[in-house]
Amino acid sequence: GAGVSQSPRYKVAKRGQDVALRCDPISGHVSLFWYQQALGQGPEFLTYFQNEAQLDKSGLPSDRFFAERPEGSVSTLKIQRTQQEDSAVYLCASITSSGSGTQYFGPGTRLLVL
Amino acid sequence: GNSVTQMEGPVTLSEEAFLTINCTYTATGYPSLFWYVQYPGEGLQLLLKATKADDKGSNKGFEATYRKETTSFHLEKGSVQVSDSAVYFCALTGALNTGNQFYFGTGTSLTVIP
């Protein structure tokens, strides 16, 4: 596709539910990032993939958060037993391997946990 | 650690006014610096970037100069338009030992009134 796409765009979950957020990066982009953006804040790094390998997951806030990219393209961010503090916009970004440094962002998934 | 500090908003300007949004950074190594813009309901879009000291990034009338001596990357535009109303994020990447991870400021909301 022309850009990074994410689904769903909006998700409402009851506290304790599991959710799965999907990211389709730009075709051919090797690296993929997940960020969490709280209301009124800048995006904060969660995790990073190069192809199917998860090279950095230092930003995941708890072991309830899990991300995967099994075939090196589409990625899923899963949040288990959601809590109200998980409410945020979850952004996905991809980057070529060219080293230009520019990340291309998807529109985000807005998660609201009630 | 690596961080970005940008001017707090919100900023409200009249059309054709001069815009400055301050951004300073702390980073090890030689990062690349970026301004991203987020229009209402949309994802982050790259506005401009600079990859080394004294480089000037420019796009759509906006510009910012990478100043290593003052660790700054202030965003400027000579004459803003209503369509420039958005949230602006300063960011860096490529700091030492951080790979492609981005560090974002908290964002500055700009509203331009006719």
Side-chain angles (χ1 to χ4, degrees):
Chain A
V4 178
S5 61
Q6 294 185 243
S7 61
R9 291 291 310 274
Y10 303 92
K11 177 69 179 177
V12 178
K14 292 183 180 178
R15 190 158 54 100
Q17 274 187 325
D18 298 349
V19 298
L21 313 179
R22 176 187 169 105
C23 172
D24 281 86
I26 293 172
S27 179
H29 277 196
V30 170
S31 299
L32 183 149
F33 296 76
W34 283 99
Y35 293 86
Q36 182 189 58
Q37 185 177 15
L39 190 64
Q41 300 296 313
E44 300 225 349
F45 171 80
L46 292 177
T47 187
Y48 156 54
F49 290 85
Q50 187 166 312
N51 295 306
E52 68 278 5
Q54 189 174 18
L55 299 186
D56 187 346
K57 54 182 181 179
S58 61
L60 296 176
S62 78
D63 59 8
R64 296 185 295 104
F65 286 71
F66 172 76
E68 60 184 7
R69 195 186 184 199
E71 297 178 358
S73 55
V74 171
S75 177
T76 304
L77 176 67
K78 297 179 180 178
I79 309 174
Q80 297 176 326
R81 305 181 303 282
T82 51
Q83 303 295 314
Q84 286 186 320
E85 62 264 27
D86 300 334
S87 297
V89 176
Y90 291 85
L91 297 169
C92 176
S94 69
I95 187 173
T96 67
S97 59
S98 67
S100 67
T102 302
Q103 293 198 358
Y104 297 89
F105 283 82
T109 294
R110 185 175 297 276
L111 172 65
L112 177 63
V113 181
L114 302 176
Chain B
N2 302 303
S3 65
V4 174
T5 302
Q6 63 181 102
M7 179 174 138
E8 299 238 352
V11 174
T12 301
L13 294 174
S14 297
E15 205 165 22
E16 299 182 4
F18 184 85
L19 169 71
T20 300
I21 301 178
N22 289 339
C23 171
T24 58
Y25 68 91
T26 301
T28 53
Y30 302 93
S32 296
L33 302 175
F34 298 76
W35 278 100
Y36 277 83
V37 58
Q38 189 171 37
Y39 298 102
E42 298 185 16
L44 289 162
Q45 299 175 24
L46 176 67
L47 181 59
L48 54 84
K49 70 176 185 181
T51 58
K52 60 183 188 296
D54 299 325
D55 270 4
K56 177 185 285 188
S58 60
N59 186 27
K60 299 181 181 179
F62 291 89
E63 57 182 35
T65 301
Y66 188 160
R67 300 284 189 203
K68 193 165 178 64
E69 64 275 15
T70 54
T71 62
S72 65
F73 194 54
H74 304 321
L75 182 68
E76 296 182 335
K77 185 173 185 182
S79 176
V80 293
Q81 305 301 311
V82 172
S83 57
D84 294 327
S85 298
V87 181
Y88 292 81
F89 292 92
C90 186
L92 70 85
T93 190
L96 194 62
N97 296 326
T98 61
N100 290 318
Q101 180 181 338
F102 267 58
Y103 297 85
F104 285 88
T106 55
T108 303
S109 175
L110 170 66
T111 300
V112 180
I113 54 178

